Amino acid sequence: MSPSASSPLDPHAALQHLRGRAERHRIVSESLPPDAAPEVQRLVQELQVHQIELEMQYEELLLAQAEAERSRLQYLDLYDFAPVGYCTVAANGTLLQLNLRTSQLLGRERQQLLGRRLALFVAPAARHEFAEFLARLWAAPSQRHSIELAMRGPQEEPFYAQLEGLAAPEGDDESLPPASCRLVLLDVTARRQATDTLAASEARFRATFEQARDGMVLLEGLHVVDLNAAALHLLGVKSKSAALGRPLASFWPEFQPDGRRSLDVLSQCTQRAQVRGWCRLEWMRYSPAGEEVWDEMSFNPVFINGQALLHVAWRDITARRLSEQQLSESESRLQMALAAAGAGVWGWEPATGLLYQDARAQEILGLAPGTEAPIVPFSRLHEALHPADAARVAQALALAEREHALFDLEHRLLRPTGEVRHVAAMGRFSYDEHTGQAERFTGLVRDVTPRRTVEEELGYKNRLLGNLLQNLPLLLARLGPDGRYREHTGRTVRRLGLRENELVGRLAAEVWPESAAHFQRLLSGERDSYVASVVRDGQTVALQCFGFFDEEQQEVVIFAIDITESERLKEETTRLKLRQQQALLSAILSTQEEERRRIAEALHNGVGQLLYATRLHLDALASSEPVRAGQQLLKDAIEATRTISFELTPSILEDFGLQVALQELVSRIPASLAVDLNLHGLAEPLPALLTTAVYRIVQELLNNVMKHAQAHEVFVQVSREDDQLHISVEDDGVGFEADTPGRSGIGLAGIRTRVGLLGGTFTINSRPGRGTGFFLQLPILPG
């Protein structure tokens, strides 16, 4: 091998070495013996030429190899560090080769990705679409195909990629089927998000355009290309086809009230909108009824799908124009009223020391009122000043004269009678053009005594309110029209665990969501009085609240007083009253049950024994029709006695509880009345008082049904839910007017009394011909 092979990648060194060898060969050729045969010399020269040619060819190959190596390294740099992903995929979908960007997009090391299926990194919903994409590549070799897919990157994070692929033969023989395809992966997540955002923005614009309450119009030039339903209504046309393509000015009269052509007015405004980005126009048209209608239009240039258009927001301002006109007239009248309000005019000449005043100023200042001498020495005014304000007035006048400023001051006047009046004086000095000296002061004066009196009274009331808020369990809160706190103060604020004005700026409905409905009513202008319960540090604070909306201040004012202690006393009183009622009911029921038991024993031991003895006597007589009739009557009497005795004192209630007693009670109902009994939650014993009361109530209600309802079926339900017992008895009988006074009967009145003593509720739902329903709810209290 030639020595130049030691540095095949250095072309310059190889050329230098080749020149050196050629020079040595020339020396060798010249060093042959002179007597060498010509054939030998020719043969040596030819061999040397061939050797040199071969070495030159070898060196050229080395140069080509070096160039190829540089190209390969450049390709590797471009391939591996390209900003887009490159990969080669086998026919079975596995990765054969990939660059660093592909491994970054897929979130795996390159060696971990080789041999894995690329479809594993495609979102499951898009894998079928990816498979079809690969099928198109294999089906059409040498044709480029593109697709956008949802893929999964590092930590399974989704991203969108655009894939471009080409399946090409490995060699020069295009007849052979491709063994792999080359893919380019481009992360288009940002573009996809931008596209989605743009689509959402366009959808929002379209929704805003179509659903806006104001008229919306799109203009191309001065012609209508789109408009919403509100604009159709304003134009008085029924369909878009009647307006699309028409000049907007064609819907307005040719001339405006000021004499300008409507088309010129519109053209000028649209031109300003194109230049400034916005223009507003007020112009007049006629309604179908011939009435004047004033419209306000705002023009904004917009680009939609690359097309320059004008967006027009349009609303009918006829009512507003009328209101503005009325307001202007009202303001004119107000100015006239203010001019005639009686403000006095006064003047002062420093050089002469004279004070000039009109009649109203004389009345206000109290200087020579009612006389024909409106000019008095200025010292008279200085003497009338309240001693505490004299220095302040003199200082303000001196400042106004020196600074050429406005004199504006409120001060007090002391009348000879000792009466103090408050006045507001204002004015300016006029100066000599040459000397700059003050020549005259001219101004106005108003008597503001009533206002200052009101302000002082208000100040006193504010101080009084402040003392009340700080020393009584009160709270004052003010909310803006947006429902946010402007102020909250008072001793009760500390009771709620807050500092004064700690909640300023926050939404009251978010701080106290349980009172959100009350805040909403107050913000709507209604007055509201309610009790709010707030839990702070495990304790419930009860507040009696009253609020109203102050139209002048545009705010909600809420007063609250802490009634926690009074509510606790009320609850304690209620519980005591309930216990007393239950004690009374217990005594009543005990007395009634004892009396029932006594009567039942008397029936059983007295009347029952006599009936049995009579039956034995009849049984001893000879059988005959009268005897058998008497025996039957005695049998019925004995059964009736037993039934009455059972109903008076059902021992089964004490022995087996409410559930079994009610079942037994229903079983004794005649078969002509079907009773559907449903009992739930009665396995656990109830207090004895409640058990007896419930049994008697159901018994009385069933008796009422049998006596008065003429029903065929009755549904009875007694269920226990938490600490409440629910009872319902419903029949399909004739019903009655439950609201008619005096129709409830003695039995129902007794039931209502028992329910009231037990602290429960009793409701009757009945109409003639629609049956009757009795619904009771009783609290379960410890026995």
Side-chain angles (χ1 to χ4, degrees), residues 45-60:
Q45 289 177 356
E46 290 178 356
L47 289 174
Q48 288 175 347
V49 170
H50 285 302
Q51 183 175 0
I52 290 172
E53 289 178 349
L54 289 173
E55 289 180 352
M56 291 179 65
Q57 292 176 1
Y58 175 69
E59 295 300 336
E60 290 177 355

Side-chain angles (χ1 to χ4, degrees), residues 210 224 269 387 438 456 482 492 494 578 604 611 664 700 751:
E210 294 293 345
V224 177
C269 189
E456 290 176 358
D482 57 355
T492 301
R494 297 188 294 274
L578 184 59
H604 183 270
L611 292 174
E664 177 63 23
E700 181 63 31
I751 293 175

Side-chain angles (χ1 to χ4, degrees), residues 78-298:
L78 291 173
Y79 181 83
D80 272 343
F81 300 103
V84 297
Y86 294 112
C87 64
T88 303
V89 179
N92 60 359
T94 58
L95 290 166
L96 300 177
Q97 188 179 7
L98 66 155
N99 69 345
L100 293 176
R101 180 55 178 163
T102 303
S103 65
Q104 291 173 358
L105 289 173
L106 301 182
R108 300 285 193 282
E109 295 290 339
R110 182 155 41 180
Q111 295 302 322
Q112 296 176 352
L113 293 171
L114 292 175
R116 298 191 66 182
R117 292 182 179 274
L118 182 58
L120 296 176
F121 299 93
V122 178
R127 288 178 182 172
H128 179 70
E129 190 176 358
F130 176 66
E132 292 180 347
F133 169 68
L134 291 181
R136 288 196 302 271
L137 289 178
W138 299 119
S142 302
Q143 291 186 11
R144 186 183 299 273
H145 293 274
S146 178
I147 191 173
E148 188 175 305
L149 293 172
M151 302 190 69
R152 298 183 299 183
Q155 286 81 42
E156 299 295 320
E157 286 291 330
F159 71 96
Y160 287 93
Q162 181 175 344
L163 279 65
E164 292 192 7
L166 179 70
E170 294 294 329
D172 296 333
D173 189 356
E174 296 183 358
S175 61
L176 296 175
S180 62
C181 66
R182 293 185 289 276
L183 299 179
V184 178
L185 281 77
L186 181 64
D187 187 351
V188 295
T189 304
R191 186 187 73 189
R192 179 65 175 264
Q193 291 175 346
T195 302
D196 293 343
T197 302
L198 179 60
S201 177
E202 291 179 352
R204 287 193 296 271
F205 172 79
R206 174 53 59 181
T208 303
F209 184 86
E210 294 293 345
Q211 300 172 17
R213 298 181 63 181
D214 292 339
M216 296 290 172
V217 183
L218 289 178
L219 299 180
E220 183 178 6
L222 296 178
H223 290 74
V224 177
V225 295
D226 198 3
L227 69 167
N228 67 352
L232 287 174
H233 176 72
L234 289 171
L235 288 175
V237 296
K238 295 183 178 180
S239 64
K240 287 187 177 182
S241 60
L244 295 180
R246 289 182 57 181
L248 182 63
S250 65
F251 295 97
W252 272 258
E254 184 178 0
F255 293 96
Q256 289 295 303
D258 59 1
R260 293 185 299 167
R261 295 178 69 245
S262 297
L263 181 59
D264 296 340
V265 172
L266 178 62
S267 299
Q268 292 172 6
C269 189
T270 56
Q271 290 171 6
R272 284 197 297 271
Q274 296 290 358
V275 174
R276 302 177 183 175
W278 176 82
C279 183
R280 176 178 169 274
L281 171 65
E282 290 186 8
W283 56 343
M284 186 273 293
R285 60 185 168 89
Y286 292 104
S287 69
E291 299 175 346
E292 286 190 0
V293 177
W294 282 89
D295 298 308
E296 177 189 67
M297 287 187 167
S298 298

Side-chain angles (χ1 to χ4, degrees), residues 573-618:
T573 302
T574 301
R575 287 194 295 269
L576 178 61
K577 182 178 179 181
L578 184 59
R579 285 196 295 269
Q580 292 174 345
Q581 289 177 346
Q582 290 185 341
L584 175 61
L585 178 62
S586 177
I588 292 172
L589 291 179
S590 298
T591 303
Q592 288 179 345
E593 293 302 319
E594 184 63 32
E595 183 64 18
R596 289 171 184 268
R597 187 177 294 106
R598 187 187 64 78
I599 295 173
E601 289 177 355
L603 285 174
H604 183 270
N605 297 330
V607 177
Q609 295 301 324
L610 289 174
L611 292 174
Y612 273 112
T614 304
R615 181 178 178 178
L616 292 175
H617 177 71
L618 289 177

